[in-house]
């Protein structure tokens, strides 16, 4: 077994929000040249509210948005009010610089009708000034078929990417049935619209929405489930397994083969009867490279650099049942699987992967794993399963967050304390520095408060 460089966990930032936290989402925010490192926090005393009727609950608190800095300051806080349901599928939040001035705007889904939190006619796309928290624009939120089930209607996304340097903002709705995407120019005129009816062939959406550039031409694409949609025109480049699969994938993660520069897509599927495989890897043209697992709900997974020579390893967890409500989210009857990500050969991981998230704390190009999903204790493991310490709480964001070597972990505590942890001994290898500068690294890091994208950087 190869030796592992020493890691000394250190609390680097601490902020007290003076508000109880049951849910916390985070994303980095650019405040302009010379401004301090900053990040957005979206939080509430309640756990993340889910639109599925067996999981939805009446919230007791309102969703807040705050702008926090790496020096421990809270620059501003805004209460979104009781018309906004405090859940990621009701109110995604995205920092994105659409007007190109070097300063992100904060985009989110608001609701004018404070007396009817589920009243779709009051939903709005809202824009905040990242420096002050003031509202600078509001537009009607596009609607899909209102007759769909609650769980199908309230699946909202906001994503940002670039077409050869030109910013494109995308709003999107749906995951399981009717789905629609709209792209916006800086002046908020419609650039394109893409609709997918519930009866159309091919996969549905996903709980992840990564930005990719599979052909490397600088015109990025959006992965909408197994559908690759060009940000420039809204054209669908491909839909993987279009003729054989009509379900949705909980995990859609881009994977870079560092040895040759080729891109792949790793997916873990939830449904569509007994259609297999439930786990698959596709190449940059949407052709399946390998598939495995014949049945079941693959609810979570990731790709991380755990193999020898930093080779990517893929993980998936199959569950038999899950519950979600004000006390949290719980998974039962779990089975875990792992593979050499590029070949599909089984890979044995010497630890329980449930609740883990990848992060390269010391900058050596290998990932550590933090038990960071909600309800987890923050234990940090190396790739061999050895315990390196603990950050003591769930993680809301992982990546290169501060002006120091290595990646860091942003955690949140029920008492309102936010912390950023890193490795005191971190030293970036050249590959780590190049990774931080990838346009796709920065584009996907912004998605921390949209969908379930917290692990998306692991495959880059």
């Amino acid at each position: 077994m190869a030796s592992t460089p020493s890691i000394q966990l250190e609390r680097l930032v601490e902020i007290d929000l003076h508000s109880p936290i049951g849910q916390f989402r985070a994303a980095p925010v650019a405040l302009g040249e010379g401004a301090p490192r900053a990040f957005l926090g979206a939080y509430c005393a309640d756990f993340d509210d889910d639109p599925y009727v067996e999981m939805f609950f009446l919230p007791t608190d309102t969703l807040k948005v705050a702008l926090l800095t790496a020096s421990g300051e809270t620059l501003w806080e805004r209460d979104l009010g009781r018309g906004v349901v405090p859940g990621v599928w009701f109110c995604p939040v995205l920092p994105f610089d659409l007007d190109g001035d070097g300063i992100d705007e904060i985009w989110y889904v608001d609701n004018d009708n404070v007396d009817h939190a589920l009243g779709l006619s009051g939903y709005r796309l809202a824009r905040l000034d990242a420096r002050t928290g003031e509202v600078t624009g509001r537009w009607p939120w596009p609607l899909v078929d209102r007759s769909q089930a609650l769980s199908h209607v309230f699946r909202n996304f906001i994503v940002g990417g670039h077409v050869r340097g030109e910013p494109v903002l995308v709003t999107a709705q749906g995951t399981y049935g009717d789905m629609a995407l709209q792209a916006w120019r800086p002046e908020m005129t419609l650039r394109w619209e893409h609709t997918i009816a519930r009866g159309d062939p091919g996969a549905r959406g996903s709980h992840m929405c990564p930005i990719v550039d599979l052909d490397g031409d600088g015109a990025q694409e959006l992965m909408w489930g197994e559908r690759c949609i060009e940000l420039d025109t809204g054209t669908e480049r491909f839909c993987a397994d279009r003729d054989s699969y009509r379900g949705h994938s909980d995990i859609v993660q881009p994977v870079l083969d560092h040895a040759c520069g080729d891109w792949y897509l790793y997916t873990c599927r939830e449904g569509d009867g007994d259609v297999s495989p439930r786990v698959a890897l596709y190449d940059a043209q949407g052709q399946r490279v390998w598939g495995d697992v014949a049945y079941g709900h693959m609810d979570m997974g990731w790709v991380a650099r755990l193999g020898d020579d930093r080779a990517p390893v893929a993980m998936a967890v199959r569950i038999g049942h899950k519950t979600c409500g004000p006390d949290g989210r719980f998974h039962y009857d779990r089975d875990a699987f792992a593979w050499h990500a590029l070949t599909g050969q089984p890979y044995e991981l010497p630890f329980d992967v449930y609740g883990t998230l990848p992060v390269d704390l010391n900058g050596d190009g290998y990932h550590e794993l933090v038990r960071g999903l909600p309800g987890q204790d923050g234990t940090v493991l190396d790739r061999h399963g050895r315990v390196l310490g603990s950050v003591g709480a769930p993680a809301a964001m992982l990546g290169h967050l501060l002006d120091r070597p290595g990646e860091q972990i942003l955690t949140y505590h029920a008492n309102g304390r936010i912390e950023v942890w890193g490795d005191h001994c971190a030293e970036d290898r050249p590959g780590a520095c190049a990774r931080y500068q990838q346009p796709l690294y920065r584009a996907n890091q912004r998605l921390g408060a949209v969908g379930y994208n917290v692990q998306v950087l692991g495959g880059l």
Side-chain angles (χ1 to χ4, degrees):
M1 180 183 296
S3 62
T4 300
S6 174
I7 288 181
Q8 182 179 333
L9 289 172
E10 178 183 17
R11 185 187 296 108
L12 305 171
V13 179
E14 185 172 2
I15 302 171
D16 191 347
L17 292 174
H18 305 286
S19 179
I21 294 177
Q23 62 172 278
F24 191 92
R25 294 176 267 147
V29 178
L31 294 179
E33 187 175 354
R37 289 259 189 167
F39 54 90
L40 165 88
Y43 56 95
C44 173
D46 295 305
F47 189 71
D48 183 41
D49 212 342
D50 192 284
Y52 177 49
V53 292
E54 300 296 335
M55 296 180 179
F56 180 79
F57 59 90
L58 296 177
T60 64
D61 193 20
T62 53
L63 189 65
K64 289 89 174 171
V65 178
L67 204 288
L68 315 172
T69 74
S71 59
E73 297 178 279
T74 301
L75 296 185
W76 53 262
E77 180 189 58
R78 187 177 188 89
D79 190 324
L80 301 188
R82 62 189 180 92
V84 174
V85 180
V88 66
W89 303 120
F90 297 93
C91 182
V93 187
L94 177 76
F96 184 66
D97 179 16
L98 183 60
D99 62 14
D101 67 353
I103 300 171
D104 285 339
E105 303 89 50
I106 308 299
W107 304 86
Y108 70 98
V109 178
D110 203 357
N111 181 14
D112 285 348
N113 192 343
V114 297
D115 292 325
H116 299 94
L118 303 181
L120 289 168
S121 61
Y123 276 46
R124 301 287 182 267
L125 173 65
R127 183 184 65 198
L128 303 179
D129 186 320
R131 296 162 297 185
T132 66
E134 296 300 314
V135 176
T136 60
R138 297 168 65 81
W139 300 266
W141 180 253
L143 302 179
V144 293
D145 181 5
R146 302 188 192 198
S147 67
Q148 296 186 101
L150 186 75
S151 181
H152 289 205
V153 172
F154 294 100
R155 298 286 169 174
N156 296 323
F157 298 80
I158 309 174
V159 183
H162 290 83
V163 175
R164 300 182 184 89
E166 181 183 357
V168 179
L169 183 75
V170 177
T171 51
Q173 308 81 34
T175 296
Y176 308 111
D178 291 324
M179 301 179 289
L181 303 92
Q182 310 84 29
W184 305 94
R185 301 183 180 90
E187 65 274 17
M188 291 307 295
T189 57
L190 189 66
R191 181 178 182 129
W192 53 257
E193 186 171 17
H194 187 105
T195 59
I196 305 162
R198 71 184 71 187
D200 287 349
R204 303 296 91 190
S206 174
H207 301 319
M208 297 177 69
C209 48
I211 294 292
V212 297
D213 183 4
L214 298 180
D215 58 7
D217 67 352
Q220 295 173 345
E221 304 97 31
L222 166 65
M223 289 308 305
W224 187 254
E226 277 90 344
R227 299 171 191 266
C228 181
I229 298 175
E230 296 177 355
L231 288 184
D232 187 9
T233 63
T235 302
E236 183 180 287
R237 287 188 55 192
F238 64 77
C239 177
D241 286 344
R242 182 191 301 277
D243 296 330
S244 60
Y245 183 64
R246 297 173 63 89
H248 82 279
S249 295
D250 280 353
I251 302 297
V252 175
Q253 185 164 7
V255 182
L256 177 61
D257 181 352
H258 287 182
C260 63
D262 290 340
W263 284 100
Y264 297 87
L265 296 162
Y266 174 65
T267 67
C268 299
R269 294 167 165 175
E270 174 175 340
D272 197 16
D274 59 358
V275 173
S276 64
R278 291 304 217 217
V279 178
L281 185 83
Y282 300 93
D283 66 18
Q285 289 75 45
Q287 299 300 308
R288 192 195 303 166
V289 177
W290 62 264
D292 200 359
V293 186
Y295 69 93
H297 176 177
M298 312 306 292
D299 189 79
M300 55 191 70
W302 43 244
V303 175
R305 305 283 165 181
L306 303 181
D308 293 339
D309 296 323
R310 302 169 179 82
V313 171
M315 177 277 286
V317 174
R318 180 173 61 197
I319 65 168
H321 177 60
K322 76 176 172 183
T323 61
C324 184
D327 54 345
R329 185 177 291 111
F330 305 94
H331 301 89
Y332 304 96
D333 301 325
R334 304 190 304 262
D335 296 301
F337 305 83
W339 303 266
H340 293 271
L342 300 181
T343 67
Q345 294 299 307
Y347 188 95
E348 184 174 350
L349 287 170
F351 54 87
D352 180 10
V353 295
Y354 176 71
T356 59
L357 298 167
V359 57
D360 180 10
L361 289 166
N362 60 8
D364 68 350
Y366 290 101
H367 280 111
E368 288 73 48
L369 285 305
V370 56
R371 298 197 182 279
L373 288 181
Q376 301 293 296
D377 62 4
T379 297
V380 178
L381 310 171
D382 72 6
R383 66 191 183 101
H384 305 294
R386 294 179 291 213
V387 175
L388 303 175
S390 177
V391 295
M397 183 167 57
L398 308 107
H400 189 59
L401 311 179
L402 306 178
D403 290 320
R404 56 178 297 130
E407 293 186 323
Q408 292 85 38
I409 305 169
L410 184 147
T411 66
Y412 60 97
H413 295 257
N415 65 1
R417 192 170 73 254
I418 306 302
E419 299 174 346
V420 178
W421 289 78
D423 175 22
H424 179 77
C425 306
E427 183 177 347
D428 284 332
R429 302 284 180 90
C433 295
R435 183 167 170 260
Y436 306 152
Q437 296 303 313
Q438 283 186 35
L440 294 182
Y441 187 97
R442 300 193 297 275
N444 286 291
Q445 195 175 34
R446 284 194 292 266
L447 297 174
V450 178
Y452 297 154
N453 289 292
V454 67
Q455 75 272 43
V456 69
L457 299 181
L460 304 187

